[in-house]
Amino acid sequence: MGSKEESQIRDLALAPEGRRKIDWAAAHMPLLNTLRERFEKDLPFRGLKIGICLHLEAKTAYLAEVIQAGGAEVTVAASNPLSTQDDVVAALVDNGIYAFARHGADDAEYGAHLRALLDRHPDALIDDGGDLVGTLHRERPEQSREIIGGCEETTTGILRLRALEREGALAFPMIAVNDAYCKYLFDNRYGTGQSVWDGIMRTTNLVVAGKTAVVVGYGWCGKGVAMRAKGLGARVVVCEVNPIKAIEAIMDGFEVMPLVEASREADFVITVTGNRGVVGKEAVAAMKDGAVLCNAGHFDVEIDKEALGEAGPPREVRRNVQEYRQKDGRRLYLLAEGRLVNLAAGDGHPVEVMDMTFALQALSLRRIVEQGRQWEPRVYPVPEDIDREVAKLRLATLGVRIDRLTEQQERYLRSWNLE
Ligand SMILES: NC(=O)c1ccc[n+]([C@@H]2O[C@H](COP(=O)([O-])OP(=O)(O)OC[C@H]3O[C@@H](n4cnc5c(N)ncnc54)[C@H](O)[C@@H]3O)[C@@H](O)[C@H]2O)c1
């Protein structure tokens, strides 16, 4: 049976609209286009099955097609059912890719989709957030041994992989794509920064200038969200638990204070910590009427929905906006049910940013299938030559040239004896 019979998706008839979206993304992804040409020639994935669990929208879809062009049989599942775009998934299936994903799938269906992907017995994986690799380790230890290795996209997934590694339980090598310079410096910072505000603005249609934006977590994503809030004219307050990051935020020109204090003044609260229960009862009690809350961290556990809903269930007042009335009459608005706002209420990161991230993914996956059988089951950084190659490719597509070290300078930098 082919992909059209076996896949579980919303509706194959949506494929033409999905194809237009993928074509638009592909036209703005010069790095992936270069890799596609290389892969079509070298066929590095010939005879292999590749399982991909990512946010299923146009850019990811193009990554799946580039890997397919390298000779792989590709199967995709969603890393978050609210970010799945049904038309894009239909276009993939129409193009011979197996897909198990539906927008809005509940937890049980989401889990069933991950298992359906694993039933196709992939040789290598790309994961985002660690749910696929987690399911494999929890439920199918035998099958884990079939896997050559894989790549993990995000901070949260890498935390889980490192936990598995610490327990000696990781069954195959994984490359931590998130930790490459060409990922977090651009994707986490500029990608999240721009797309989170795009998601908030298109969902609420509210002005940002002159308002107070509270950014909780000043990691790579938080820095981008704070930077763009400032650019939009907001007063920005940062909340942190790490004293070093707190100083960094102050030196970057932001106010820093505990969340409960910041909550009293917040018009927007954006969590981006990768942690759970960050906005809890106390913060909810302190918020003023009309505050808008959203999350950009990987899972929908950062804002405590039980604390928000103590006085009763929410009602949808606008697409993707839920109003939680408090006992004292205050109205608090949660976007996209607390899931990643840029993906669940927008199109995710800008195309050119994902072009770099997915070039890292494609090259790392190639390295894993070519060499991973000889590697210990550990979490590996992206090889430095791949990180540099992606940066060079990006500069080339921008038409930017840079200087080179002279031989004398290289010698100078390598030596300890400076006479
Ligand atoms: N929305 C997106 O498209 C997108 C993109 C990349 C990463 N992510 C996700 O965003 C999250 C953050 O990623 P990152 O790369 O910025 O991680 P990071 O580790 O660089 O930063 C997280 C920051 O949150 C802080 N923090 C933790 N608990 C906190 C708490 N209770 N209160 C205040 N601060 C707290 C930490 O001290 C740290 O500085 C992760 O879940 C990651 O997977 C989302």
Side-chain angles (χ1 to χ4, degrees):
M1 278 204 293
S3 64
K4 288 183 188 152
E5 294 76 29
E6 283 198 40
S7 292
Q8 295 166 21
I9 64 169
R10 177 84 53 203
D11 184 1
L12 192 58
L14 300 171
E17 181 55 26
R19 178 52 49 198
R20 273 196 290 276
K21 288 184 180 175
I22 298 172
D23 287 349
W24 169 262
H28 297 86
M29 300 182 96
L31 275 67
L32 278 193
N33 287 323
T34 305
L35 296 183
R36 181 182 192 129
E37 278 169 29
R38 281 191 205 166
F39 289 177
E40 276 167 352
K41 206 157 62 57
D42 305 347
L43 295 176
F45 307 116
R46 184 165 42 191
L48 293 175
K49 293 183 180 173
I50 306 293
I52 298 180
C53 177
L54 288 167
H55 297 283
L56 292 178
E57 42 72 58
K59 293 151 290 185
T60 350
Y62 192 50
L63 170 67
E65 293 190 340
V66 168
I67 289 166
Q68 182 189 37
E73 180 195 285
V74 177
T75 305
V76 300
S79 62
N80 182 329
L82 269 193
S83 61
T84 300
Q85 299 191 9
D86 289 319
D87 49 5
V88 167
V89 175
L92 285 180
V93 171
D94 197 41
N95 189 25
I97 286 177
Y98 294 79
F100 302 96
R102 250 188 284 260
H103 180 88
D106 61 20
D107 286 351
E109 196 185 0
Y110 173 68
H113 284 156
L114 295 183
R115 288 180 201 103
L117 181 153
L118 293 174
D119 286 344
R120 299 200 57 74
H121 289 271
D123 299 290
L125 306 171
I126 293 180
D127 202 1
D128 182 351
D131 277 353
L132 184 64
V133 170
T135 305
L136 195 50
H137 280 77
R138 251 191 327 274
E139 299 179 11
R140 303 183 178 195
E142 288 295 311
Q143 192 185 340
S144 298
R145 291 191 205 112
E146 296 171 11
I147 310 277
I148 304 169
C151 305
E152 167 56 50
E153 168 83 3
T154 200
T155 317
T156 287
I158 290 168
L159 285 175
R160 296 163 128 197
L161 289 177
R162 291 207 193 285
L164 270 172
E165 187 184 34
R166 269 197 308 278
E167 287 174 20
L170 188 63
F172 42 80
M174 288 289 294
I175 293 185
V177 171
N178 183 76
D179 294 351
Y181 288 115
C182 278
K183 163 71 164 67
Y184 65 79
L185 287 179
F186 309 111
D187 173 315
N188 296 32
R189 185 164 47 169
Y190 295 102
T192 314
Q194 177 172 323
S195 61
V196 160
W197 284 104
D198 169 38
I200 295 172
M201 291 189 295
R202 72 162 86 171
T203 306
T204 64
N205 198 215
L206 295 174
V207 74
V208 181
K211 297 220 174 126
T212 297
V214 173
V215 180
V216 192
Y218 201 65
W220 288 105
C221 294
K223 285 192 235 294
V225 174
M227 182 201 299
R228 290 295 167 251
K230 187 177 180 180
L232 286 162
R235 167 189 170 223
V236 182
V237 179
V238 168
C239 303
E240 251 297 343
V241 290
N242 178 329
I244 299 168
K245 302 283 178 74
I247 297 174
E248 194 181 7
I250 293 169
M251 300 286 263
D252 287 343
F254 302 119
E255 291 172 60
V256 173
M257 61 180 84
L259 176 61
V260 174
E261 271 173 48
S263 296
R264 291 188 199 114
E265 301 168 35
D267 296 296
F268 297 101
V269 179
I270 303 113
T271 54
V272 63
T273 67
N275 205 344
R276 68 176 311 137
V278 175
V279 172
K281 267 188 191 176
E282 268 190 283
V284 167
M287 279 173 202
K288 63 186 187 190
D289 184 35
V292 172
L293 286 76
C294 63
N295 167 52
H298 190 78
F299 289 114
D300 60 343
V301 296
E302 304 211 7
I303 298 172
D304 182 349
K305 285 187 260 187
E306 268 182 38
L308 264 181
E310 269 195 353
R315 68 184 183 109
E316 187 161 79
V317 288
R318 190 178 152 90
R319 190 173 141 71
N320 262 330
V321 184
Q322 286 179 311
E323 179 186 271
Y324 283 86
R325 252 190 198 273
Q326 305 300 300
K327 283 193 190 100
D328 55 11
R330 285 173 305 131
R331 291 154 304 175
L332 303 179
Y333 297 106
L334 179 66
L335 308 188
E337 297 174 28
R339 296 183 193 256
L340 305 111
V341 67
N342 55 332
L343 279 143
D347 285 319
H349 287 3
V351 181
E352 299 91 329
V353 169
M354 291 317 287
D355 191 27
M356 286 182 79
T357 300
F358 286 162
L360 287 168
Q361 283 283 14
L363 289 170
S364 297
L365 186 72
R366 180 177 188 160
R367 189 66 54 89
I368 276 279
V369 301
E370 286 175 351
Q371 299 182 6
R373 284 188 182 85
Q374 283 89 53
W375 296 1
E376 296 289 311
R378 291 213 320 265
V379 181
Y380 291 87
V382 169
E384 202 185 323
D385 63 300
I386 291 183
D387 214 356
R388 281 182 163 261
E389 185 180 358
V390 168
K392 280 187 196 160
L393 279 171
R394 177 74 183 139
L395 283 177
T397 65
L398 292 169
V400 173
R401 292 179 302 119
I402 59 172
D403 295 314
R404 283 175 159 220
L405 290 171
T406 63
E407 252 180 59
Q408 201 188 14
Q409 287 170 333
E410 279 197 34
R411 251 200 327 275
Y412 176 78
L413 292 175
R414 273 202 310 268
S415 66
W416 62 271
N417 188 351
L418 299 180
E419 272 182 66

